[in-house]
């Protein structure tokens, strides 16, 4: 939601690749589960904030890997194929993009070294 990687997704699609969201629910950071935009859209469809977010990603062609240890949330995470977000809703969610990761800076050379196992 908050770091949508729009440009990266365009490049990846050019080569037949898909972007993957390994933290599609932002681990609840940035008041994710009480975001007023996502809550309002969820009410319209009778869905939770998480379901709206996951559906938005699926409609964008993003691979999602939501995780939970709670069975009811796992079931909710799977229950996202019975509705489609409108173009207006998709655009409203897209406006939540801050262009910055809530976890770490992927462009920081030290972070890249850490992930590559170079330190």
């Amino acid at each position: 939601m908050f770091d949508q990687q729009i440009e990266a997704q365009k490049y990846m699609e050019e080569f037949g690749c898909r972007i993957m969201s390994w933290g599609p629910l932002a681990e609840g950071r940035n008041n994710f589960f009480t975001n007023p935009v996502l809550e309002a859209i969820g009410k319209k469809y009778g869905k939770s904030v998480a379901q709206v977010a996951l559906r938005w990603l699926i409609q964008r062609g993003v691979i999602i890997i939501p995780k939970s240890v709670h069975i009811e949330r796992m079931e909710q995470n799977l229950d996202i194929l019975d509705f489609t977000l409108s173009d207006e809703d998709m655009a409203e969610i897209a406006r939540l993009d801050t262009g910055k990761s809530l976890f770490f800076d992927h462009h920081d050379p030290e972070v890249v070294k850490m992930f590559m196992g170079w330190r």
Side-chain angles (χ1 to χ4, degrees):
M1 297 294 109
F2 306 115
D3 187 17
Q4 298 173 13
Q5 301 285 324
I6 301 299
E7 288 301 312
Q9 186 175 11
K10 287 178 188 175
Y11 285 110
M12 292 176 75
E13 287 175 352
E14 183 179 339
F15 294 98
C17 298
R18 291 281 174 226
I19 199 162
M20 181 186 304
S21 179
W22 54 265
L25 305 178
E27 293 181 3
R29 295 177 187 192
N30 203 25
N31 299 312
F32 180 86
F33 292 107
T34 58
N35 181 284
V37 170
L38 300 175
E39 284 182 330
I41 293 171
K43 284 181 185 168
K44 186 176 1 177
Y45 295 97
K47 296 293 183 177
S48 70
V49 165
Q51 289 170 312
V52 168
L54 295 175
R55 182 64 203 185
W56 179 78
L57 289 164
I58 291 289
Q59 282 183 227
R60 282 188 53 220
V62 175
I63 298 167
I64 56 172
I65 304 179
K67 65 179 187 174
S68 179
V69 297
H70 303 283
I71 190 76
E72 64 277 357
R73 290 186 190 144
M74 290 179 202
E75 291 169 346
Q76 253 190 21
N77 290 346
L78 292 171
D79 188 24
I80 60 169
L81 300 177
D82 61 344
F83 74 108
T84 301
L85 295 169
S86 70
D87 291 342
E88 294 81 18
D89 293 332
M90 293 291 289
E92 192 169 355
I93 295 168
R95 286 191 285 276
L96 297 175
D97 191 6
T98 64
K100 296 192 185 299
S101 173
L102 296 175
F103 301 96
F104 40 78
D105 182 358
H106 297 83
H107 303 286
D108 179 340
E110 293 304 314
V111 171
V112 174
K113 286 180 189 177
M114 178 189 69
F115 280 112
M116 297 300 294
W118 292 348
R119 62 167 155 151

